[in-house]
């Protein structure tokens, strides 16, 4: 998942970058509102964390402009204190949830994961599609109840596909979800990872969980379980 963090306090920004990175996010950071707006408008994102008190352009204005530009990814707002006015204004500007400073990282993470899940239409942290179950909290995957060992990149690809099960995801979008920076990207990497996921999730070649749509991308093809 690709997350943008807009926060002017360097220590906080770097700690969010590091800890979200450890949790498997590809993280982009911006140190002020203008930089943040550019990133919010120009980059493919799954979710954004935006501090309200920012230099150059206020967080509220950044959110309004991103929403006015039809950016629909979920936004989590950081408020300086436990002020109800900040929260109300943030939500009215188009944010989806908020965390008051100081916060525990675990709370930010839990809220981000919940926002991503709901954006994908999932009600619970366990994504169940037939025999394949992906737990977004534990970051584990099982097949018919047996744990499946995945590398970090394999997990990132599968989580992205399963969160949006049924939708076609382009190879370019998957590639962007793998890397933090714009270093040279090899689109063959996605084909290799998809091939490995197929072998691990469908060793008998009976389920065909990941469909290839020539020239368009990939789709997680197993139906979501009822209640998921
Ligand atoms: Ca601030």
């Amino acid at each position: 998942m690709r997350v943008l963090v807009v926060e002017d306090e360097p220590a906080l920004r770097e700690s969010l970058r590091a800890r979200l990175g450890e949790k498997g996010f590809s993280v982009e950071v911006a140190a002020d509102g203008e930089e943040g707006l550019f990133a919010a408008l120009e980059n493919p994102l799954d979710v954004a964390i935006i501090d309200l008190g920012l230099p150059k352009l206020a967080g509220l204005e950044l959110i309004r402009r991103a929403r006015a530009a039809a950016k629909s990814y979920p936004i989590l707002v950081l408020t300086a204190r436990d002020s109800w006015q900040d929260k109300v204004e943030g939500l009215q500007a188009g944010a989806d949830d908020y965390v008051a400073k100081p916060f525990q990282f675990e709370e930010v993470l839990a809220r981000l994961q919940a926002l991503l899940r709901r954006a994908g239409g999932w009600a619970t942290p366990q994504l169940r599609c037939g025999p394949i179950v992906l737990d977004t909290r534990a970051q584990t995957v099982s097949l018919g109840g047996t744990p499946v060992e995945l590398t970090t990149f394999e997990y990132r690809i599968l989580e992205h596909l399963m969160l949006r099960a049924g939708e076609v995801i382009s190879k370019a979008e998957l590639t962007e979800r793998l890397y933090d920076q714009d270093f040279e990207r090899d689109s063959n990497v996605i084909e290799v990872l998809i091939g490995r996921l197929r072998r691990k999730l469908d060793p008998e070649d009976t389920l065909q969980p990941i469909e290839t749509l020539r020239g368009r991308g990939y789709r997680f093809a197993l139906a979501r379980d009822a209640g998921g």
Side-chain angles (χ1 to χ4, degrees):
M1 293 290 120
R2 196 167 183 87
V3 57
L4 168 66
V5 174
V6 190
E7 168 59 64
D8 57 315
E9 280 175 52
L12 185 51
R13 185 173 65 243
E14 287 313 310
S15 116
L16 284 170
R17 187 216 292 266
R19 300 203 64 184
L20 289 167
E22 283 164 18
K23 292 293 177 185
F25 285 85
S26 60
V27 189
E28 190 153 349
V29 296
D32 63 53
E34 277 178 9
E35 216 181 281
L37 180 64
F38 181 80
L41 297 183
E42 298 303 321
N43 296 330
L45 298 172
D46 296 301
V47 64
I49 302 176
I50 298 176
D51 181 33
L52 287 188
L54 290 171
K56 297 193 183 173
L57 181 72
L60 281 177
E61 190 53 31
L62 196 174
I63 296 167
R64 281 192 201 104
R65 291 198 202 172
R67 292 303 190 222
K71 298 296 175 187
S72 62
Y73 45 76
I75 296 176
L76 178 70
V77 150
L78 305 179
T79 63
R81 59 203 166 281
D82 211 0
S83 139
W84 67 265
Q85 289 93 338
D86 275 8
K87 293 172 190 166
V88 169
E89 283 182 342
L91 296 172
Q92 283 174 342
D96 299 278
D97 200 358
Y98 52 80
V99 175
K101 293 179 186 175
F103 51 75
Q104 296 296 317
F105 173 73
E106 286 68 23
E107 182 179 3
V108 169
L109 180 65
R111 287 179 186 277
L112 273 193
Q113 287 173 333
L115 288 174
L116 285 166
R117 231 162 47 217
R118 289 201 293 267
W122 290 93
T124 65
Q126 285 203 332
L127 317 184
R128 295 172 174 275
C129 294
I132 299 174
V133 180
L134 181 147
D135 188 321
T136 57
R137 284 175 307 188
Q139 302 202 334
T140 56
V141 175
S142 63
L143 171 64
T146 306
V148 178
E149 290 290 330
L150 298 182
T151 65
T152 304
F153 279 2
E154 290 164 3
Y155 177 84
R156 284 191 191 186
I157 294 287
L158 183 64
E159 185 189 63
H160 199 71
L161 288 170
M162 283 185 77
L163 273 169
R164 292 174 45 200
E167 280 180 56
V168 181
I169 318 274
S170 72
K171 204 194 267 183
E173 181 173 339
L174 289 175
T175 309
E176 278 149 1
R177 291 336 185 254
L178 284 185
Y179 305 114
D180 292 345
Q181 303 299 331
D182 291 324
F183 60 78
E184 197 179 341
R185 292 162 175 165
D186 180 358
S187 68
N188 292 327
V189 169
I190 299 295
E191 281 168 33
V192 170
L193 292 173
I194 294 276
R196 283 202 230 145
L197 280 170
R198 283 180 173 141
R199 284 192 292 280
K200 289 183 178 182
L201 297 172
D202 189 20
E204 312 289 330
D205 198 20
T206 48
L207 281 176
Q208 283 145 12
I210 304 171
E211 201 181 342
T212 303
L213 295 106
R214 198 163 289 282
R216 292 169 61 205
Y218 301 96
R219 172 162 58 199
F220 196 85
L222 301 186
R224 302 174 184 219
D225 285 14

